[in-house]
């Protein structure tokens, strides 16, 4: 069990550029979550997958954001036409769950995005 | 919809002193409650969780928390704080039939020697 990993750890980009982040969950975990954390705030839910199916998306996830988990393993989060307001820490978490109950989520180190 | 309030933005305690971080939640059904800790620039580490059963739960690093349904609270405690406990602490609630966590705004703990 190597934990949840995220790449890159830091990303600096110019406004209007596209960026993509990757998350590798704990092996065998079937659920994968994305959260966004801005300075001085707690993480806010963006979206989650069970296996390869994206089951819920927050209203925070505008049309410029897209997430995939093509084979039910790693996931990518892409932001198109970045804006300065997208600057935040993007956190990934994974869990092993069955049914519909709440489960324990384990977080990765995050990707810090800075949009200039 | 569920929500979490952490009333204290910053807390400073002396090394060796006891600690209590407050957390109040709002949720109509049985809550699933968590405490996470975050060091600067890092992800979140799970300290402890409450799903059901004994209302006093033990976690890692000597932390414990008590669920009080009548007060809608899940306060985190530690009898003797170490300098390495300085970090930001987040309380979170999960819905019984939902999967996302709703977090409070966090409490920054400073430990003075």
């Amino acid at each position: 069990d190597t934990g949840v990993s995220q790449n890159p750890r830091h990303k600096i980009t110019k406004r209007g550029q596209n960026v993509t982040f990757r998350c590798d969950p704990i092996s065998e975990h079937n659920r994968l979550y994305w959260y966004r954390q801005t300075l001085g705030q707690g993480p806010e839910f963006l979206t989650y997958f069970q296996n390869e199916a994206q089951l819920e998306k927050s209203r925070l996830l505008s049309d410029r954001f897209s997430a995939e988990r093509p084979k039910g393993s790693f996931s990518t989060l892409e932001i198109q036409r970045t804006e300065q307001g997208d600057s935040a820490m993007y956190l990934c978490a994974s869990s092993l769950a069955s049914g519909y109950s709440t489960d324990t989520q384990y977080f990765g180190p995050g990707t810090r995005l800075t949009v200039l | 919809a569920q929500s979490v309030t952490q009333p204290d933005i910053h807390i400073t305690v002396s090394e060796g002193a006891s600690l209590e971080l407050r957390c109040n939640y709002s949720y109509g059904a049985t809550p699933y409650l968590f405490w996470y800790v975050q060091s600067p620039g890092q992800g979140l580490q799970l300290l402890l969780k409450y799903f059901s059963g004994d209302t006093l739960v033990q976690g890692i690093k000597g932390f414990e928390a008590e669920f009080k349904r009548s007060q809608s609270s899940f306060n985190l405690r530690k009898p003797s704080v170490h300098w390495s406990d300085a970090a930001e602490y987040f309380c979170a609630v999960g819905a019984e039939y939902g999967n996302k966590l709703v977090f409070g705004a966090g409490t920054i703990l400073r430990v003075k020697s």
Side-chain angles (χ1 to χ4, degrees), chain B residues 20-54:
Chain B
E20 183 170 26
L21 301 182
R22 296 183 291 164
C23 171
N24 293 97
Y25 69 89
S26 173
Y27 183 59
T30 302
Y32 292 70
L33 297 161
F34 305 80
W35 275 100
Y36 287 86
V37 61
Q38 185 177 38
S39 297
Q42 301 299 312
L44 281 74
Q45 181 183 22
L46 178 69
L47 286 177
L48 48 78
K49 61 187 179 185
Y50 171 78
F51 280 10
S52 65
D54 193 346

PDB file of all heavy atoms in Angstrom, chain B residues 20-54:
ATOM      1  N   GLU B  20      -8.391  20.982  22.989  1.00  0.00           N
ATOM      2  CA  GLU B  20      -9.716  20.607  22.507  1.00  0.00           C
ATOM      3  C   GLU B  20     -10.060  21.494  21.322  1.00  0.00           C
ATOM      4  O   GLU B  20     -10.046  22.723  21.424  1.00  0.00           O
ATOM      5  CB  GLU B  20     -10.801  20.746  23.577  1.00  0.00           C
ATOM      6  CG  GLU B  20     -12.173  20.277  23.070  1.00  0.00           C
ATOM      7  CD  GLU B  20     -13.216  20.165  24.178  1.00  0.00           C
ATOM      8  OE1 GLU B  20     -13.092  20.873  25.187  1.00  0.00           O
ATOM      9  OE2 GLU B  20     -14.151  19.342  24.021  1.00  0.00           O
ATOM     10  N   LEU B  21     -10.337  20.861  20.199  1.00  0.00           N
ATOM     11  CA  LEU B  21     -10.766  21.566  18.992  1.00  0.00           C
ATOM     12  C   LEU B  21     -12.247  21.275  18.775  1.00  0.00           C
ATOM     13  O   LEU B  21     -12.660  20.113  18.773  1.00  0.00           O
ATOM     14  CB  LEU B  21      -9.954  21.115  17.772  1.00  0.00           C
ATOM     15  CG  LEU B  21      -8.445  21.306  17.854  1.00  0.00           C
ATOM     16  CD1 LEU B  21      -7.780  20.851  16.559  1.00  0.00           C
ATOM     17  CD2 LEU B  21      -8.081  22.746  18.162  1.00  0.00           C
ATOM     18  N   ARG B  22     -13.007  22.338  18.538  1.00  0.00           N
ATOM     19  CA  ARG B  22     -14.448  22.186  18.458  1.00  0.00           C
ATOM     20  C   ARG B  22     -14.930  21.960  17.032  1.00  0.00           C
ATOM     21  O   ARG B  22     -14.377  22.516  16.075  1.00  0.00           O
ATOM     22  CB  ARG B  22     -15.133  23.431  19.042  1.00  0.00           C
ATOM     23  CG  ARG B  22     -14.861  23.626  20.527  1.00  0.00           C
ATOM     24  CD  ARG B  22     -15.618  24.822  21.045  1.00  0.00           C
ATOM     25  NE  ARG B  22     -15.095  26.079  20.519  1.00  0.00           N
ATOM     26  CZ  ARG B  22     -15.757  27.227  20.571  1.00  0.00           C
ATOM     27  NH1 ARG B  22     -16.976  27.277  21.101  1.00  0.00           N
ATOM     28  NH2 ARG B  22     -15.203  28.330  20.106  1.00  0.00           N
ATOM     29  N   CYS B  23     -15.983  21.149  16.941  1.00  0.00           N
ATOM     30  CA  CYS B  23     -16.610  20.865  15.653  1.00  0.00           C
ATOM     31  C   CYS B  23     -18.104  20.680  15.887  1.00  0.00           C
ATOM     32  O   CYS B  23     -18.510  19.862  16.704  1.00  0.00           O
ATOM     33  CB  CYS B  23     -16.023  19.605  15.024  1.00  0.00           C
ATOM     34  SG  CYS B  23     -16.904  19.037  13.544  1.00  0.00           S
ATOM     35  N   ASN B  24     -18.907  21.436  15.162  1.00  0.00           N
ATOM     36  CA  ASN B  24     -20.352  21.253  15.190  1.00  0.00           C
ATOM     37  C   ASN B  24     -20.819  20.939  13.780  1.00  0.00           C
ATOM     38  O   ASN B  24     -20.360  21.549  12.814  1.00  0.00           O
ATOM     39  CB  ASN B  24     -21.047  22.518  15.710  1.00  0.00           C
ATOM     40  CG  ASN B  24     -20.737  22.761  17.160  1.00  0.00           C
ATOM     41  OD1 ASN B  24     -19.855  23.539  17.506  1.00  0.00           O
ATOM     42  ND2 ASN B  24     -21.455  22.070  18.027  1.00  0.00           N
ATOM     43  N   TYR B  25     -21.743  20.018  13.670  1.00  0.00           N
ATOM     44  CA  TYR B  25     -22.217  19.607  12.354  1.00  0.00           C
ATOM     45  C   TYR B  25     -23.720  19.812  12.278  1.00  0.00           C
ATOM     46  O   TYR B  25     -24.425  19.894  13.290  1.00  0.00           O
ATOM     47  CB  TYR B  25     -21.853  18.139  12.087  1.00  0.00           C
ATOM     48  CG  TYR B  25     -22.623  17.196  12.960  1.00  0.00           C
ATOM     49  CD1 TYR B  25     -23.858  16.684  12.569  1.00  0.00           C
ATOM     50  CD2 TYR B  25     -22.135  16.830  14.217  1.00  0.00           C
ATOM     51  CE1 TYR B  25     -24.574  15.844  13.384  1.00  0.00           C
ATOM     52  CE2 TYR B  25     -22.845  15.995  15.041  1.00  0.00           C
ATOM     53  CZ  TYR B  25     -24.066  15.504  14.624  1.00  0.00           C
ATOM     54  OH  TYR B  25     -24.782  14.676  15.444  1.00  0.00           O
ATOM     55  N   SER B  26     -24.191  19.870  11.054  1.00  0.00           N
ATOM     56  CA  SER B  26     -25.619  19.939  10.810  1.00  0.00           C
ATOM     57  C   SER B  26     -25.951  18.858   9.799  1.00  0.00           C
ATOM     58  O   SER B  26     -25.427  18.859   8.680  1.00  0.00           O
ATOM     59  CB  SER B  26     -26.014  21.311  10.252  1.00  0.00           C
ATOM     60  OG  SER B  26     -27.370  21.329   9.859  1.00  0.00           O
ATOM     61  N   TYR B  27     -26.762  17.915  10.239  1.00  0.00           N
ATOM     62  CA  TYR B  27     -27.177  16.840   9.345  1.00  0.00           C
ATOM     63  C   TYR B  27     -28.372  16.156   9.969  1.00  0.00           C
ATOM     64  O   TYR B  27     -28.373  15.885  11.161  1.00  0.00           O
ATOM     65  CB  TYR B  27     -26.040  15.844   9.121  1.00  0.00           C
ATOM     66  CG  TYR B  27     -26.397  14.748   8.150  1.00  0.00           C
ATOM     67  CD1 TYR B  27     -26.785  15.046   6.847  1.00  0.00           C
ATOM     68  CD2 TYR B  27     -26.378  13.407   8.525  1.00  0.00           C
ATOM     69  CE1 TYR B  27     -27.149  14.054   5.953  1.00  0.00           C
ATOM     70  CE2 TYR B  27     -26.730  12.416   7.638  1.00  0.00           C
ATOM     71  CZ  TYR B  27     -27.120  12.739   6.345  1.00  0.00           C
ATOM     72  OH  TYR B  27     -27.467  11.761   5.461  1.00  0.00           O
ATOM     73  N   GLY B  28     -29.390  15.866   9.183  1.00  0.00           N
ATOM     74  CA  GLY B  28     -30.644  15.364   9.715  1.00  0.00           C
ATOM     75  C   GLY B  28     -30.653  13.916  10.122  1.00  0.00           C
ATOM     76  O   GLY B  28     -31.473  13.497  10.918  1.00  0.00           O
ATOM     77  N   ALA B  29     -29.753  13.135   9.586  1.00  0.00           N
ATOM     78  CA  ALA B  29     -29.752  11.704   9.869  1.00  0.00           C
ATOM     79  C   ALA B  29     -28.469  11.332  10.615  1.00  0.00           C
ATOM     80  O   ALA B  29     -27.789  12.188  11.166  1.00  0.00           O
ATOM     81  CB  ALA B  29     -29.871  10.928   8.567  1.00  0.00           C
ATOM     82  N   THR B  30     -28.169  10.077  10.655  1.00  0.00           N
ATOM     83  CA  THR B  30     -26.966   9.617  11.342  1.00  0.00           C
ATOM     84  C   THR B  30     -25.725  10.108  10.610  1.00  0.00           C
ATOM     85  O   THR B  30     -25.535   9.786   9.443  1.00  0.00           O
ATOM     86  CB  THR B  30     -26.929   8.084  11.396  1.00  0.00           C
ATOM     87  OG1 THR B  30     -28.109   7.633  12.050  1.00  0.00           O
ATOM     88  CG2 THR B  30     -25.709   7.609  12.157  1.00  0.00           C
ATOM     89  N   PRO B  31     -24.891  10.896  11.288  1.00  0.00           N
ATOM     90  CA  PRO B  31     -23.712  11.414  10.602  1.00  0.00           C
ATOM     91  C   PRO B  31     -22.542  10.441  10.655  1.00  0.00           C
ATOM     92  O   PRO B  31     -22.436   9.631  11.570  1.00  0.00           O
ATOM     93  CB  PRO B  31     -23.386  12.675  11.405  1.00  0.00           C
ATOM     94  CG  PRO B  31     -23.784  12.313  12.796  1.00  0.00           C
ATOM     95  CD  PRO B  31     -24.985  11.391  12.675  1.00  0.00           C
ATOM     96  N   TYR B  32     -21.701  10.517   9.661  1.00  0.00           N
ATOM     97  CA  TYR B  32     -20.406   9.856   9.677  1.00  0.00           C
ATOM     98  C   TYR B  32     -19.393  10.981   9.818  1.00  0.00           C
ATOM     99  O   TYR B  32     -19.360  11.891   8.992  1.00  0.00           O
ATOM    100  CB  TYR B  32     -20.184   9.069   8.381  1.00  0.00           C
ATOM    101  CG  TYR B  32     -21.107   7.883   8.236  1.00  0.00           C
ATOM    102  CD1 TYR B  32     -22.464   8.052   7.994  1.00  0.00           C
ATOM    103  CD2 TYR B  32     -20.620   6.590   8.345  1.00  0.00           C
ATOM    104  CE1 TYR B  32     -23.312   6.960   7.872  1.00  0.00           C
ATOM    105  CE2 TYR B  32     -21.460   5.494   8.224  1.00  0.00           C
ATOM    106  CZ  TYR B  32     -22.804   5.693   7.990  1.00  0.00           C
ATOM    107  OH  TYR B  32     -23.639   4.610   7.875  1.00  0.00           O
ATOM    108  N   LEU B  33     -18.592  10.937  10.860  1.00  0.00           N
ATOM    109  CA  LEU B  33     -17.754  12.075  11.237  1.00  0.00           C
ATOM    110  C   LEU B  33     -16.283  11.714  11.192  1.00  0.00           C
ATOM    111  O   LEU B  33     -15.895  10.596  11.560  1.00  0.00           O
ATOM    112  CB  LEU B  33     -18.139  12.561  12.636  1.00  0.00           C
ATOM    113  CG  LEU B  33     -19.569  13.096  12.734  1.00  0.00           C
ATOM    114  CD1 LEU B  33     -20.051  13.114  14.174  1.00  0.00           C
ATOM    115  CD2 LEU B  33     -19.645  14.498  12.123  1.00  0.00           C
ATOM    116  N   PHE B  34     -15.484  12.666  10.763  1.00  0.00           N
ATOM    117  CA  PHE B  34     -14.054  12.454  10.575  1.00  0.00           C
ATOM    118  C   PHE B  34     -13.274  13.667  11.082  1.00  0.00           C
ATOM    119  O   PHE B  34     -13.750  14.805  11.024  1.00  0.00           O
ATOM    120  CB  PHE B  34     -13.723  12.279   9.080  1.00  0.00           C
ATOM    121  CG  PHE B  34     -14.496  11.196   8.381  1.00  0.00           C
ATOM    122  CD1 PHE B  34     -15.790  11.408   7.949  1.00  0.00           C
ATOM    123  CD2 PHE B  34     -13.906   9.963   8.155  1.00  0.00           C
ATOM    124  CE1 PHE B  34     -16.493  10.405   7.296  1.00  0.00           C
ATOM    125  CE2 PHE B  34     -14.601   8.954   7.496  1.00  0.00           C
ATOM    126  CZ  PHE B  34     -15.893   9.183   7.067  1.00  0.00           C
ATOM    127  N   TRP B  35     -12.062  13.413  11.523  1.00  0.00           N
ATOM    128  CA  TRP B  35     -11.067  14.457  11.749  1.00  0.00           C
ATOM    129  C   TRP B  35      -9.839  14.124  10.904  1.00  0.00           C
ATOM    130  O   TRP B  35      -9.328  12.999  10.935  1.00  0.00           O
ATOM    131  CB  TRP B  35     -10.653  14.553  13.209  1.00  0.00           C
ATOM    132  CG  TRP B  35     -11.558  15.398  14.050  1.00  0.00           C
ATOM    133  CD1 TRP B  35     -12.542  14.987  14.896  1.00  0.00           C
ATOM    134  CD2 TRP B  35     -11.534  16.825  14.167  1.00  0.00           C
ATOM    135  NE1 TRP B  35     -13.141  16.055  15.508  1.00  0.00           N
ATOM    136  CE2 TRP B  35     -12.538  17.204  15.085  1.00  0.00           C
ATOM    137  CE3 TRP B  35     -10.747  17.831  13.590  1.00  0.00           C
ATOM    138  CZ2 TRP B  35     -12.791  18.537  15.430  1.00  0.00           C
ATOM    139  CZ3 TRP B  35     -10.989  19.149  13.922  1.00  0.00           C
ATOM    140  CH2 TRP B  35     -11.998  19.498  14.835  1.00  0.00           C
ATOM    141  N   TYR B  36      -9.382  15.136  10.163  1.00  0.00           N
ATOM    142  CA  TYR B  36      -8.164  15.034   9.371  1.00  0.00           C
ATOM    143  C   TYR B  36      -7.195  16.114   9.817  1.00  0.00           C
ATOM    144  O   TYR B  36      -7.604  17.182  10.278  1.00  0.00           O
ATOM    145  CB  TYR B  36      -8.445  15.240   7.882  1.00  0.00           C
ATOM    146  CG  TYR B  36      -9.157  14.097   7.177  1.00  0.00           C
ATOM    147  CD1 TYR B  36     -10.545  14.015   7.180  1.00  0.00           C
ATOM    148  CD2 TYR B  36      -8.440  13.124   6.487  1.00  0.00           C
ATOM    149  CE1 TYR B  36     -11.202  12.986   6.510  1.00  0.00           C
ATOM    150  CE2 TYR B  36      -9.082  12.093   5.813  1.00  0.00           C
ATOM    151  CZ  TYR B  36     -10.455  12.032   5.825  1.00  0.00           C
ATOM    152  OH  TYR B  36     -11.086  11.010   5.157  1.00  0.00           O
ATOM    153  N   VAL B  37      -5.900  15.865   9.599  1.00  0.00           N
ATOM    154  CA  VAL B  37      -4.873  16.857   9.889  1.00  0.00           C
ATOM    155  C   VAL B  37      -4.088  17.120   8.619  1.00  0.00           C
ATOM    156  O   VAL B  37      -3.851  16.212   7.812  1.00  0.00           O
ATOM    157  CB  VAL B  37      -3.938  16.386  11.033  1.00  0.00           C
ATOM    158  CG1 VAL B  37      -3.214  15.100  10.687  1.00  0.00           C
ATOM    159  CG2 VAL B  37      -2.951  17.487  11.392  1.00  0.00           C
ATOM    160  N   GLN B  38      -3.713  18.388   8.431  1.00  0.00           N
ATOM    161  CA  GLN B  38      -2.976  18.785   7.237  1.00  0.00           C
ATOM    162  C   GLN B  38      -1.774  19.640   7.617  1.00  0.00           C
ATOM    163  O   GLN B  38      -1.937  20.700   8.224  1.00  0.00           O
ATOM    164  CB  GLN B  38      -3.887  19.564   6.282  1.00  0.00           C
ATOM    165  CG  GLN B  38      -3.250  19.915   4.948  1.00  0.00           C
ATOM    166  CD  GLN B  38      -4.217  20.631   4.012  1.00  0.00           C
ATOM    167  OE1 GLN B  38      -5.028  21.451   4.454  1.00  0.00           O
ATOM    168  NE2 GLN B  38      -4.163  20.318   2.723  1.00  0.00           N
ATOM    169  N   SER B  39      -0.591  19.194   7.264  1.00  0.00           N
ATOM    170  CA  SER B  39       0.606  19.997   7.444  1.00  0.00           C
ATOM    171  C   SER B  39       0.762  20.911   6.240  1.00  0.00           C
ATOM    172  O   SER B  39       0.222  20.617   5.168  1.00  0.00           O
ATOM    173  CB  SER B  39       1.832  19.091   7.604  1.00  0.00           C
ATOM    174  OG  SER B  39       1.687  18.301   8.768  1.00  0.00           O
ATOM    175  N   PRO B  40       1.483  22.012   6.378  1.00  0.00           N
ATOM    176  CA  PRO B  40       1.582  22.998   5.291  1.00  0.00           C
ATOM    177  C   PRO B  40       1.999  22.369   3.958  1.00  0.00           C
ATOM    178  O   PRO B  40       2.994  21.643   3.891  1.00  0.00           O
ATOM    179  CB  PRO B  40       2.636  23.975   5.808  1.00  0.00           C
ATOM    180  CG  PRO B  40       2.518  23.900   7.290  1.00  0.00           C
ATOM    181  CD  PRO B  40       2.193  22.458   7.587  1.00  0.00           C
ATOM    182  N   GLY B  41       1.228  22.642   2.915  1.00  0.00           N
ATOM    183  CA  GLY B  41       1.550  22.161   1.582  1.00  0.00           C
ATOM    184  C   GLY B  41       1.330  20.682   1.362  1.00  0.00           C
ATOM    185  O   GLY B  41       1.712  20.144   0.314  1.00  0.00           O
ATOM    186  N   GLN B  42       0.703  20.019   2.319  1.00  0.00           N
ATOM    187  CA  GLN B  42       0.511  18.568   2.235  1.00  0.00           C
ATOM    188  C   GLN B  42      -0.954  18.197   2.107  1.00  0.00           C
ATOM    189  O   GLN B  42      -1.838  19.044   2.262  1.00  0.00           O
ATOM    190  CB  GLN B  42       1.097  17.901   3.485  1.00  0.00           C
ATOM    191  CG  GLN B  42       2.564  18.171   3.684  1.00  0.00           C
ATOM    192  CD  GLN B  42       3.419  17.670   2.538  1.00  0.00           C
ATOM    193  OE1 GLN B  42       3.285  16.536   2.091  1.00  0.00           O
ATOM    194  NE2 GLN B  42       4.300  18.521   2.039  1.00  0.00           N
ATOM    195  N   GLY B  43      -1.188  16.915   1.820  1.00  0.00           N
ATOM    196  CA  GLY B  43      -2.553  16.411   1.790  1.00  0.00           C
ATOM    197  C   GLY B  43      -3.087  16.187   3.193  1.00  0.00           C
ATOM    198  O   GLY B  43      -2.472  16.589   4.188  1.00  0.00           O
ATOM    199  N   LEU B  44      -4.228  15.551   3.288  1.00  0.00           N
ATOM    200  CA  LEU B  44      -4.897  15.330   4.569  1.00  0.00           C
ATOM    201  C   LEU B  44      -4.622  13.917   5.083  1.00  0.00           C
ATOM    202  O   LEU B  44      -4.715  12.947   4.324  1.00  0.00           O
ATOM    203  CB  LEU B  44      -6.403  15.525   4.429  1.00  0.00           C
ATOM    204  CG  LEU B  44      -6.924  16.951   4.399  1.00  0.00           C
ATOM    205  CD1 LEU B  44      -6.613  17.605   3.069  1.00  0.00           C
ATOM    206  CD2 LEU B  44      -8.413  16.990   4.657  1.00  0.00           C
ATOM    207  N   GLN B  45      -4.325  13.831   6.362  1.00  0.00           N
ATOM    208  CA  GLN B  45      -4.126  12.544   7.008  1.00  0.00           C
ATOM    209  C   GLN B  45      -5.286  12.282   7.961  1.00  0.00           C
ATOM    210  O   GLN B  45      -5.640  13.146   8.770  1.00  0.00           O
ATOM    211  CB  GLN B  45      -2.804  12.526   7.779  1.00  0.00           C
ATOM    212  CG  GLN B  45      -2.512  11.198   8.459  1.00  0.00           C
ATOM    213  CD  GLN B  45      -1.228  11.214   9.277  1.00  0.00           C
ATOM    214  OE1 GLN B  45      -0.736  12.260   9.692  1.00  0.00           O
ATOM    215  NE2 GLN B  45      -0.671  10.034   9.510  1.00  0.00           N
ATOM    216  N   LEU B  46      -5.856  11.096   7.884  1.00  0.00           N
ATOM    217  CA  LEU B  46      -6.968  10.751   8.741  1.00  0.00           C
ATOM    218  C   LEU B  46      -6.489  10.532  10.172  1.00  0.00           C
ATOM    219  O   LEU B  46      -5.574   9.752  10.413  1.00  0.00           O
ATOM    220  CB  LEU B  46      -7.648   9.483   8.236  1.00  0.00           C
ATOM    221  CG  LEU B  46      -8.819   8.965   9.063  1.00  0.00           C
ATOM    222  CD1 LEU B  46     -10.004   9.920   8.955  1.00  0.00           C
ATOM    223  CD2 LEU B  46      -9.227   7.560   8.616  1.00  0.00           C
ATOM    224  N   LEU B  47      -7.117  11.235  11.124  1.00  0.00           N
ATOM    225  CA  LEU B  47      -6.811  11.043  12.544  1.00  0.00           C
ATOM    226  C   LEU B  47      -7.736  10.014  13.180  1.00  0.00           C
ATOM    227  O   LEU B  47      -7.294   9.145  13.921  1.00  0.00           O
ATOM    228  CB  LEU B  47      -6.959  12.367  13.301  1.00  0.00           C
ATOM    229  CG  LEU B  47      -5.886  13.422  13.114  1.00  0.00           C
ATOM    230  CD1 LEU B  47      -6.263  14.684  13.888  1.00  0.00           C
ATOM    231  CD2 LEU B  47      -4.530  12.909  13.571  1.00  0.00           C
ATOM    232  N   LEU B  48      -9.031  10.151  12.922  1.00  0.00           N
ATOM    233  CA  LEU B  48     -10.017   9.234  13.488  1.00  0.00           C
ATOM    234  C   LEU B  48     -11.350   9.427  12.796  1.00  0.00           C
ATOM    235  O   LEU B  48     -11.543  10.389  12.055  1.00  0.00           O
ATOM    236  CB  LEU B  48     -10.158   9.453  15.007  1.00  0.00           C
ATOM    237  CG  LEU B  48     -10.328  10.874  15.523  1.00  0.00           C
ATOM    238  CD1 LEU B  48     -11.717  11.399  15.347  1.00  0.00           C
ATOM    239  CD2 LEU B  48      -9.923  10.953  16.997  1.00  0.00           C
ATOM    240  N   LYS B  49     -12.259   8.477  13.072  1.00  0.00           N
ATOM    241  CA  LYS B  49     -13.575   8.535  12.440  1.00  0.00           C
ATOM    242  C   LYS B  49     -14.615   7.943  13.382  1.00  0.00           C
ATOM    243  O   LYS B  49     -14.304   7.106  14.244  1.00  0.00           O
ATOM    244  CB  LYS B  49     -13.571   7.752  11.129  1.00  0.00           C
ATOM    245  CG  LYS B  49     -13.259   6.272  11.319  1.00  0.00           C
ATOM    246  CD  LYS B  49     -13.102   5.566   9.984  1.00  0.00           C
ATOM    247  CE  LYS B  49     -12.756   4.100  10.204  1.00  0.00           C
ATOM    248  NZ  LYS B  49     -12.483   3.385   8.937  1.00  0.00           N
ATOM    249  N   TYR B  50     -15.853   8.394  13.227  1.00  0.00           N
ATOM    250  CA  TYR B  50     -16.984   7.841  13.956  1.00  0.00           C
ATOM    251  C   TYR B  50     -18.044   7.437  12.949  1.00  0.00           C
ATOM    252  O   TYR B  50     -18.529   8.260  12.168  1.00  0.00           O
ATOM    253  CB  TYR B  50     -17.568   8.864  14.936  1.00  0.00           C
ATOM    254  CG  TYR B  50     -18.851   8.394  15.545  1.00  0.00           C
ATOM    255  CD1 TYR B  50     -18.846   7.459  16.583  1.00  0.00           C
ATOM    256  CD2 TYR B  50     -20.081   8.836  15.064  1.00  0.00           C
ATOM    257  CE1 TYR B  50     -20.028   6.999  17.120  1.00  0.00           C
ATOM    258  CE2 TYR B  50     -21.264   8.380  15.607  1.00  0.00           C
ATOM    259  CZ  TYR B  50     -21.232   7.465  16.629  1.00  0.00           C
ATOM    260  OH  TYR B  50     -22.405   7.000  17.151  1.00  0.00           O
ATOM    261  N   PHE B  51     -18.412   6.158  13.008  1.00  0.00           N
ATOM    262  CA  PHE B  51     -19.502   5.667  12.163  1.00  0.00           C
ATOM    263  C   PHE B  51     -20.698   5.270  13.017  1.00  0.00           C
ATOM    264  O   PHE B  51     -21.837   5.555  12.679  1.00  0.00           O
ATOM    265  CB  PHE B  51     -19.035   4.472  11.321  1.00  0.00           C
ATOM    266  CG  PHE B  51     -18.242   4.855  10.098  1.00  0.00           C
ATOM    267  CD1 PHE B  51     -17.784   6.152   9.882  1.00  0.00           C
ATOM    268  CD2 PHE B  51     -17.916   3.902   9.141  1.00  0.00           C
ATOM    269  CE1 PHE B  51     -17.046   6.509   8.772  1.00  0.00           C
ATOM    270  CE2 PHE B  51     -17.181   4.239   8.009  1.00  0.00           C
ATOM    271  CZ  PHE B  51     -16.753   5.537   7.824  1.00  0.00           C
ATOM    272  N   SER B  52     -20.432   4.565  14.121  1.00  0.00           N
ATOM    273  CA  SER B  52     -21.497   4.125  15.014  1.00  0.00           C
ATOM    274  C   SER B  52     -20.844   3.553  16.262  1.00  0.00           C
ATOM    275  O   SER B  52     -19.620   3.460  16.350  1.00  0.00           O
ATOM    276  CB  SER B  52     -22.386   3.081  14.345  1.00  0.00           C
ATOM    277  OG  SER B  52     -21.649   1.907  14.082  1.00  0.00           O
ATOM    278  N   GLY B  53     -21.668   3.159  17.236  1.00  0.00           N
ATOM    279  CA  GLY B  53     -21.141   2.496  18.416  1.00  0.00           C
ATOM    280  C   GLY B  53     -20.671   3.461  19.479  1.00  0.00           C
ATOM    281  O   GLY B  53     -21.269   4.507  19.706  1.00  0.00           O
ATOM    282  N   ASP B  54     -19.575   3.119  20.126  1.00  0.00           N
ATOM    283  CA  ASP B  54     -19.032   3.908  21.219  1.00  0.00           C
ATOM    284  C   ASP B  54     -18.818   5.353  20.778  1.00  0.00           C
ATOM    285  O   ASP B  54     -18.179   5.605  19.756  1.00  0.00           O
ATOM    286  CB  ASP B  54     -17.701   3.307  21.691  1.00  0.00           C
ATOM    287  CG  ASP B  54     -17.229   3.877  23.018  1.00  0.00           C
ATOM    288  OD1 ASP B  54     -17.777   4.914  23.455  1.00  0.00           O
ATOM    289  OD2 ASP B  54     -16.321   3.292  23.613  1.00  0.00           O
TER     290      ASP B  54
END
